[in-house]
Amino acid sequence: MTGTKVTADTLRAMKARGEKIAALTAYDFPMTRLLDEAGIPLILVGDSLGMVVLGYPDTTHVTMAEMEHHVRAAARGKPRALLAADLPYHSYESIEDAVANAKRLAAAGAEAVKAEGGREILQQVRAIIASGIPFLGHLGMLPQRVIEEGGYHVKGKSGPEQQALLADAHALAAAGAFAVVLELVTPRVAKELTQQVPIPTIGIGAGPDCDGQILVSPDLLGMLPWFSLKHVKPKLNAAEQMRAVVKEWKQGVERLKGLSG
Ligand code: KIV
């Protein structure tokens, strides 16, 4: 994609100008190229990789080696977009691990990293940023905690949850995060956070009032007919179209006359 390279500053400036940020996930070269050619400014190699590409039941199974492999593939698309990547489960427990693993993702081609959590990972966030790697926060429902929390629950419904989200978002912004993903946060709280914090909020299932929206691309494109999500209405039925094309091609092959026939 031609044009000026998108950086963390570009995204911050978009919030300042009131321009909405449309972000999507990619896990390989073609998807990165296609999203980039469509002008998406922020592409995330999410650890949703585990569920939508690798067939794991949740994101807690994703390893650093798997993330590096897919970040390398996505980075070969050389996007104009900012290419961010998730630090997987248990890869940022200590400050040392957080920095070492963020550097591994950067060496694979990530231009920013994301990790889940707020004040409890602030030292890791500061150290990652001090090492020169831009940091994207992730608050609200944290998929890497699905086992501890017994499912995927909307956050911000109670007063204490709302206060915690506000404190976490302010702490991440003060630590130098360039933006924060808000996943399954009540729309009212997501709106309040968006008004209060100086960095862009990128919502997923968090209502329309965030500074941007992010989706898992295969969900948007209808590639996963086996699962349905409340917050995504697929804009394409890629699964059905693929099945139909494959069936038609198969029938064409089967109609070919053999040399002996
Ligand atoms: O892993 C992922 O794809 C994500 C997005 C849902 C924000 O974290």
Side-chain angles (χ1 to χ4, degrees):
M1 178 93 185
T2 51
T4 320
K5 177 72 190 160
V6 176
T7 64
D9 283 343
T10 317
L11 300 175
R12 277 190 288 245
M14 286 175 79
K15 173 168 177 132
R17 290 194 297 268
E19 278 174 40
K20 294 281 185 180
I21 300 165
L24 284 169
T25 64
Y27 314 96
D28 56 22
F29 171 84
M31 186 63 94
T32 304
R33 282 289 287 269
L34 290 171
L35 300 184
D36 203 46
E37 286 170 12
I40 293 294
L42 171 63
I43 298 177
L44 173 71
V45 184
D47 62 353
S48 49
L49 165 76
M51 297 169 81
V52 302
V53 176
L54 302 179
Y56 294 140
D58 57 59
T59 62
T60 65
H61 302 265
V62 177
T63 64
M64 267 303 295
E66 287 165 342
M67 286 303 301
E68 284 174 293
H69 179 75
H70 286 269
V71 169
R72 276 190 216 105
R76 286 184 202 110
K78 295 194 178 10
R80 169 184 168 268
L82 180 72
L83 187 69
D86 264 329
L87 281 162
Y89 188 54
H90 276 167
S91 70
Y92 49 100
E93 303 275 281
S94 68
I95 300 173
E96 295 71 27
D97 281 356
V99 173
N101 288 322
K103 284 185 177 170
R104 279 174 64 178
L105 293 180
E111 296 159 331
V113 298
K114 173 164 84 58
E116 297 180 7
R119 286 161 292 170
E120 71 281 17
I121 61 160
L122 221 49
Q123 287 185 300
Q124 287 90 322
V125 174
R126 288 199 194 99
I128 289 169
I129 295 169
S131 79
I133 301 171
F135 184 83
L136 174 60
H138 188 151
L139 296 174
M141 190 284 286
L142 305 180
Q144 292 177 5
R145 300 203 189 155
V146 62
I147 294 170
E148 298 155 59
E149 299 200 352
Y152 300 106
H153 305 296
V154 174
K155 293 296 161 87
K157 286 183 174 167
S158 68
E161 258 181 23
Q162 181 178 339
Q163 293 315 315
L165 282 167
L166 279 167
D168 285 335
H170 280 296
L172 287 175
F178 69 86
V180 60
V181 169
L182 301 179
E183 182 157 4
L184 297 190
V185 170
T186 61
R188 190 178 58 78
V189 173
K191 182 176 180 183
E192 193 178 336
L193 281 167
T194 302
Q195 287 164 339
Q196 287 202 18
V197 294
I199 56 173
T201 59
I202 317 277
I204 173 162
D209 295 313
C210 297
D211 296 305
Q213 299 288 330
I214 185 163
L215 283 179
V216 169
S217 294
D219 292 336
L220 176 69
L221 301 173
M223 293 168 74
L224 303 165
W226 314 281
F227 316 107
S228 73
L229 294 167
K230 272 197 197 134
H231 64 272
V232 197
K233 288 202 176 46
K235 298 281 185 212
L236 180 74
N237 194 339
E240 198 41 52
Q241 293 188 18
M242 282 171 72
R243 280 196 203 108
V245 167
V246 169
K247 264 190 206 163
E248 196 185 318
W249 179 80
K250 174 177 171 280
Q251 285 160 1
V253 170
E254 289 165 354
R255 278 196 297 271
L256 291 174
K257 288 213 164 51
L259 285 178
S260 56

